[in-house]
Amino acid sequence: MTVLVNVIVTLGMLYVVPAGLRLIDPARLQRTARLWPVAAAPGALCLWLPRGMPATALAALYAVACLALAARAPVRLLRARSLTPPAIAVATALVSPSIAATALVAERAGYRLFGFDLDILALTVPHFHFAGFTAALVAGLVCRAVGGRAGTGGLARWAAYSVPAGTLLVLLGYFVDDWAELLGAVVLTGGMWAVALLTWREVRPAGADRATRTLLATSAAVLVATMLLALWWAAGEATGITHPTLTWMAATHGLGNALGFALCSVLAWRRLAAGARPADHRPADARTPDARPAGHRPADRPDPRPRTTADRVETSP
């Protein structure tokens, strides 16, 4: 299990997080995203060392970078002056790596932080890189893309709120009991299934090429299965019914979320963003429900430019 978890975490640190930062804000976070692999390299390296001082020191270097990233969350919320669903989702994404890095420092030091087993601390690291960072980010992107669209706008806003809420409840469940963790798993699963449905119905058809649509379809389909496994495991912990082991969960739920959901989602959204005009590169937490569609022109002033993939994704009818 250790090797598999380390591979998943390394992927999250070195690629998924910096790629996600470019999706959050291509302007303000461009430099951070470009330098992130350098900051994350010590964290990735420490995974492959035995527990001890060298591994702990490397993990601490990564934690400093993650805490600096988390400090951007309140700044963005203050700048936005509004707790919109995408803003909440993006703030959750920015904070999540710091939780993962804190657990990593403790685990590499062999310290049972808050009394948790070292195996639980080790699994907290991928959880908050993927269920925390990537899931919240994608929920925010989907909410922004759907906007105030009749029939689905409400579901998109609910998903962008429930994914951060479910992630927080799962974290709190670590400190309370298995039933609280089960509640968090239910909320998180509901939010992620909403993201999957909206991705399939609203975002996937806007993909301009088969590769983008396939990546979006894969991410949506994988979420249905992996989150069902998460519910099964949480229910088993709370009720005592037969449920998968942590090793089995890492090989199925963890690997599926990392490759099938997170990696495919980030690749797909980057392909969608690549087709956007520079003026359309809005931050992922930009307010859209009440705004006019991107590229709007008065009736007597048609837009002569051809519409791009990103226009089709981000334009509300």
Side-chain angles (χ1 to χ4, degrees):
M1 181 180 74
T2 300
V3 173
L4 179 60
V5 171
N6 288 351
V7 170
I8 292 173
V9 174
T10 300
L11 173 68
M13 289 178 174
L14 297 182
Y15 179 75
V16 173
V17 171
L21 293 177
R22 290 185 173 91
L23 291 170
I24 290 175
D25 194 333
R28 292 189 176 92
L29 293 178
Q30 178 63 33
R31 185 170 182 269
T32 301
R34 187 172 62 252
L35 296 176
W36 189 263
V38 177
L45 178 59
C46 81
L47 297 169
W48 304 97
L49 298 177
R51 293 190 182 107
M53 186 58 67
T56 304
L58 291 172
L61 290 175
Y62 179 58
V64 170
C66 291
L67 290 171
L69 183 65
R72 290 178 175 264
V75 174
R76 294 184 68 87
L77 290 176
L78 288 174
R79 185 185 296 124
R81 298 181 182 178
S82 177
L83 296 179
T84 61
I88 294 296
V90 166
T92 302
L94 292 174
V95 170
S96 291
S98 65
I99 300 174
T102 301
L104 179 64
V105 172
E107 189 275 334
R108 293 287 78 194
Y111 175 66
R112 292 165 53 95
L113 184 66
F114 300 118
F116 292 121
D117 291 340
L118 297 182
D119 286 345
I120 296 298
L121 291 174
L123 292 174
T124 299
V125 180
H127 181 81
F128 278 92
H129 276 97
F130 294 102
F133 179 84
T134 315
L137 169 60
V138 173
L141 291 170
V142 168
C143 184
R144 184 189 68 177
V146 173
R149 197 168 303 173
T152 56
L155 181 62
R157 290 190 293 273
W158 180 81
Y161 278 135
S162 62
V163 170
T167 302
L168 177 61
L169 287 172
V170 169
L171 177 62
L172 292 177
Y174 290 171
F175 299 92
V176 182
D177 57 28
D178 292 333
W179 287 99
E181 190 172 353
L182 174 60
L183 174 62
V186 169
V187 174
L188 180 58
T189 298
M192 294 310 297
W193 280 351
V195 168
L197 177 63
L198 292 167
T199 298
W200 182 272
R201 291 180 53 184
E202 304 295 330
V203 182
R204 179 183 57 86
D209 56 83
R210 179 178 297 179
T212 302
R213 293 192 296 272
T214 299
L215 288 168
L216 290 167
T218 301
S219 70
V222 166
L223 271 183
V224 176
T226 57
M227 295 312 297
L228 186 61
L229 287 170
L231 274 181
W232 183 13
W233 186 84
E237 289 289 296
T239 65
I241 64 172
T242 301
H243 61 285
T245 63
L246 287 177
T247 300
W248 202 80
M249 285 293 289
T252 54
H253 170 82
L255 189 62
N257 271 345
L259 300 182
F261 166 64
L263 183 60
C264 287
S265 291
V266 169
L267 289 173
W269 281 98
R270 291 198 67 184
R271 291 174 70 90
L272 291 171
R277 298 190 303 269
D280 291 331
H281 281 184
R282 295 168 292 160
D285 49 357
R287 185 187 304 186
T288 59
D290 299 325
R292 291 187 297 182
H296 176 84
R297 295 292 186 279
D300 60 339
R301 294 179 59 194
D303 187 352
R305 292 171 295 187
R307 293 172 62 78
T308 65
T309 299
D311 291 326
R312 291 194 295 273
V313 171
E314 295 185 358
T315 300
S316 301

